[in-house]
């Protein structure tokens, strides 16, 4: 089993690394998601909401890597996750591995809480990938798995079971299909102890998290400056040209004291392409 430090490294890398840069990119590309009179929230609340949603998505990405590390530890050969169909379409698998006898692929999500359209999209996605893997490896044994990590939500379990049964009837022998929640995957892999370790690690890691994510970039201005100073010029232009981001308090909600902005103004005044913009923005400090 991977140790706790490796577990934390993977989670923190996916969830928190580069989050300031990513937030600024999102604001630059989609300012309409953060500004506007017809919102029942203040700027800081909207930014916090965005961060929390981002953490949920990144949490799923982190668990893709964690499951892969476990599969490696169990001795499976990890196969390339990107496969190309006969017509040139590229598909990305969450997990793809083999024990030398069977080819396994897993489509994993954190929880089974999809609405009707998303659950059908989930099955359609699974069918497409199964079809392509069968085309490429039809002379081998294939196991396809829909896996939900959180065992406490099974909103669409009957729906998924019925869909997998139809696929079993269609493909027949040589293709095994499963629906797993939580520990069930690890029981299938004959490694239940890994699930218990994951639960212990996750519980300990969550205790280290702040109650509410910090959206004030000026708490550590020098660290923030180093992270965001190399943000691509196109994003800075969009941020600097959109006066509403200032007028409605979005920028002020992030840069509370202006210390990081002062560092950026001094730095970018040396950059000819951005100097006029930073002179304008400097007027707000």
């Amino acid at each position: 089993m991977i140790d706790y430090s490796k577990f934390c490294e993977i989670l923190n890398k996916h969830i928190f690394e580069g989050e300031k840069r990513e937030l600024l990119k999102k604001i630059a590309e989609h300012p309409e998601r953060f500004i506007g009179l017809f919102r029942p929230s203040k700027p800081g609340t909207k930014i916090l909401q965005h961060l929390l949603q981002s953490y949920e998505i990144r949490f799923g990405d982190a668990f893709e890597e964690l499951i892969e590390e476990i599969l490696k530890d169990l001795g499976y050969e990890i196969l390339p996750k990107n496969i190309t169909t006969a017509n040139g379409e590229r598909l990305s698998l969450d997990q793809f591995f083999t024990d030398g006898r069977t080819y396994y692929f897993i489509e994993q999500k954190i929880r089974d809480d999809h609405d009707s359209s998303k659950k059908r999209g989930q099955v359609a996605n699974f069918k497409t990938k199964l079809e392509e893997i069968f085309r490429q490896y039809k002379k081998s044994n294939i196991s396809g798995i829909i896996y939900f990590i959180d065992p406490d939500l099974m909103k669409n379990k009957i729906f998924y079971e019925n869909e997998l049964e139809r696929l079993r009837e269609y493909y027949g022998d040589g293709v095994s299909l499963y629906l797993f929640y939580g520990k069930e995957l690890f029981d299938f892999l004959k490694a239940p102890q890994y699930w218990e370790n994951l639960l212990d690690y996750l519980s300990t890691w969550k205790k280290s998290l702040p109650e509410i994510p910090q959206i004030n970039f000026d708490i550590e201005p020098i660290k923030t400056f180093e992270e965001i100073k190399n943000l691509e010029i196109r994003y800075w232009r969009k941020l600097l040209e959109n006066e509403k981001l200032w007028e409605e308090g979005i920028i002020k909600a992030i840069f509370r004291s202006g210390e990081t902005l002062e560092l950026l103004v001094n730095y970018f005044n040396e950059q000819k392409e951005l100097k006029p913009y930073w002179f304008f923005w400097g007027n707000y400090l």
Side-chain angles (χ1 to χ4, degrees):
M1 177 62 186
I2 61 175
D3 60 28
Y4 179 67
S5 62
K6 179 69 172 178
F7 175 88
C8 292
E9 178 188 332
I10 291 172
L11 281 179
N12 293 336
K13 175 185 67 176
H14 281 278
I15 299 173
F16 304 120
E17 192 173 288
E19 65 174 335
K20 294 182 177 70
R21 284 172 55 89
E22 291 305 311
L23 176 60
L24 291 175
K25 283 183 179 181
K26 290 296 183 184
I27 294 173
E29 290 179 320
H30 304 287
E32 70 282 357
R33 297 179 183 177
F34 298 88
I35 58 179
L37 182 60
F38 294 97
R39 290 190 182 280
S41 57
K42 291 188 175 181
T45 305
K46 185 58 187 174
I47 293 166
L48 181 59
Q49 180 186 19
H50 171 81
L51 279 178
L52 293 173
Q53 290 173 338
S54 175
Y55 289 170
E56 289 286 328
I57 295 169
R58 292 177 171 211
F59 188 68
D61 296 337
F63 260 85
E64 283 190 27
E65 184 174 345
L66 285 169
I67 298 297
E68 181 178 309
E69 288 296 320
I70 290 171
L71 294 170
K72 289 179 185 176
D73 201 48
L74 290 172
Y76 291 98
E77 177 188 353
I78 305 301
L79 302 172
K81 293 182 178 182
N82 294 318
I83 58 176
T84 304
T85 66
N87 60 11
E89 180 185 1
R90 289 179 64 82
L91 302 175
S92 179
L93 308 173
D94 292 338
Q95 308 293 344
F96 191 30
F97 57 102
T98 183
D99 60 4
R101 300 181 301 277
T102 301
Y103 288 88
Y104 302 86
F105 81 98
I106 301 176
E107 284 299 291
Q108 69 181 61
K109 292 289 182 289
I110 294 296
R111 57 188 63 87
D112 175 10
D113 60 353
H114 291 157
D115 58 24
S116 59
S117 60
K118 285 188 176 181
K119 73 182 182 183
R120 295 184 188 283
Q122 174 86 357
V123 169
N125 185 43
F126 183 83
K127 286 180 178 177
T128 299
K129 293 173 182 180
L130 173 58
E131 180 180 341
E132 186 55 34
I133 291 172
F134 183 77
R135 184 184 73 82
Q136 295 187 23
Y137 299 95
K138 59 186 174 183
K139 294 183 180 179
S140 306
N141 293 321
I142 297 169
S143 284
I145 299 167
I146 295 177
Y147 178 49
F148 295 100
I149 299 168
D150 187 346
D152 294 329
L153 283 169
M154 300 183 181
K155 179 179 178 181
N156 301 300
K157 183 176 182 180
I158 294 175
F159 170 78
Y160 289 123
E161 287 178 337
N162 289 339
E163 291 297 317
L164 289 180
E165 184 57 35
R166 292 188 183 96
L167 288 172
R168 291 187 193 102
E169 292 175 1
Y170 177 80
Y171 282 97
D173 296 338
V175 175
S176 301
L177 303 175
Y178 305 92
L179 172 65
F180 292 140
Y181 293 85
K183 184 172 176 284
E184 292 173 346
L185 173 65
F186 296 87
D187 289 337
F188 174 77
L189 296 172
K190 296 181 173 56
Q193 70 278 12
Y194 282 77
W195 175 251
E196 301 304 327
N197 284 337
L198 275 181
L199 294 183
D200 289 342
Y201 286 175
L202 188 57
S203 177
T204 303
W205 175 80
K206 287 187 69 173
K207 290 175 184 176
S208 70
L209 300 179
E211 191 67 30
I212 299 175
Q214 182 55 252
I215 65 170
N216 181 6
F217 286 12
D218 284 332
I219 287 182
E220 298 180 291
I222 295 176
K223 182 178 179 181
T224 299
F225 167 73
E226 291 297 332
E227 180 180 331
I228 68 176
K229 70 178 182 180
N230 292 323
L231 186 67
E232 292 88 334
I233 289 176
R234 66 181 183 276
Y235 296 117
W236 285 124
R237 280 210 175 101
K238 289 179 179 179
L239 289 168
L240 295 169
E241 288 174 343
N242 193 332
E243 295 184 35
K244 283 190 174 182
L245 292 174
W246 275 100
E247 293 168 359
E248 297 194 20
I250 297 297
I251 300 300
K252 279 292 187 181
I254 299 172
F255 301 102
R256 300 286 178 83
S257 69
E259 290 180 70
T260 306
L261 290 181
E262 288 181 358
L263 293 172
L264 289 166
V265 167
N266 293 333
Y267 176 75
F268 279 110
N269 273 339
E270 303 301 321
Q271 313 298 314
K272 293 181 180 179
E273 293 171 307
L274 281 175
K275 187 172 181 177
Y277 296 97
W278 280 101
F279 176 78
F280 161 77
W281 209 0
N283 292 333
Y284 285 94
L285 297 178

